Amino acid sequence: MKKLKLATVIGIIFVLITGSLAHFVYEWSGNNALAGLFTPVNESVWEHMKLVFFPMLLYSVWMISRFRKEYPCIVSALCLGITAGTLLIPVFFYAYTGLLGRDFFVLDIAAFVLSVLAAFLLSYRLTLSCGAKTYTFFLCVLVCILFVCFMRFTYHAPAPGIFAVPEP
């Protein structure tokens, strides 16, 4: 259990660092279309969900390959964590902007950090309790659907507000 706890803490740090850096990769790459599939191409809430999704997905692949035999519930736990952490980005953003009437950079960062912490805490606890094991297939499909949506909507975003760039 100590190794899983350490890997979880390292995962939190990994996602916080890579997610933060990912915010700038598209611009640093000269607006490379491939980089844009995995990193934000604009300031929309949808694009910022990638900051949790892709780094946590990458780290989860490593965690699953490392701990799957020892912790048979890790796949379902991480898939639920990825989904929850990703979806918490718009939940936090719209909750605080709805209350305060506008967005604040510091609160955007706080929303990102809280989303990552919640995702990993949920994953850790469910890995140990096996509370989501029954839903493994469904949760894996959900992660795949999110992946496909990120691929599709990066350059072909629908009209709803989550895809719009917030006005200053």
Side-chain angles (χ1 to χ4, degrees):
M1 190 158 57
K2 285 183 181 181
K3 288 180 183 178
L4 180 65
K5 189 178 283 189
L6 177 62
T8 300
V9 170
I10 292 169
I12 291 167
I13 295 165
F14 175 83
V15 173
L16 288 173
I17 291 170
T18 56
S20 297
L21 291 173
H23 189 275
F24 307 101
V25 168
Y26 181 68
E27 186 179 331
W28 291 342
S29 72
N31 299 347
N32 180 283
L34 183 60
L37 292 173
F38 303 98
T39 62
V41 299
N42 61 45
E43 293 298 318
S44 71
V45 175
W46 173 260
E47 289 295 310
H48 280 78
M49 292 165 63
K50 293 178 181 179
L51 300 178
V52 174
F53 183 82
F54 286 109
M56 189 163 178
L57 180 62
L58 180 64
Y59 193 77
S60 293
V61 169
W62 176 81
M63 280 189 78
I64 290 166
S65 69
R66 170 67 178 84
F67 294 108
R68 190 175 197 161
K69 290 180 183 170
E70 194 174 348
Y71 297 99
C73 302
I74 198 164
V75 173
S76 59
L78 286 168
C79 284
L80 185 56
I82 291 167
T83 303
T86 302
L87 296 179
L88 280 173
I89 294 288
V91 168
F92 287 141
F93 178 79
Y94 289 118
Y96 95 74
T97 57
L99 288 171
L100 301 176
R102 59 174 284 231
D103 66 301
F104 291 92
F105 180 67
V106 171
L107 293 178
D108 291 342
I109 293 170
F112 170 64
V113 171
L114 287 173
S115 296
V116 171
L117 291 173
F120 274 99
L121 179 62
L122 181 64
S123 296
Y124 178 78
R125 289 196 173 164
L126 288 173
T127 296
L128 297 177
S129 73
C130 287
K133 178 99 170 124
T134 306
Y135 307 103
T136 302
F137 178 76
F138 172 74
L139 294 167
C140 289
V141 168
L142 213 52
V143 169
C144 290
I145 289 169
L146 273 172
F147 185 93
V148 169
C149 287
F150 282 123
M151 297 298 109
R152 174 73 180 143
F153 298 152
T154 293
Y155 297 114
H156 305 287
I162 195 169
F163 299 99
V165 176
E167 294 186 24

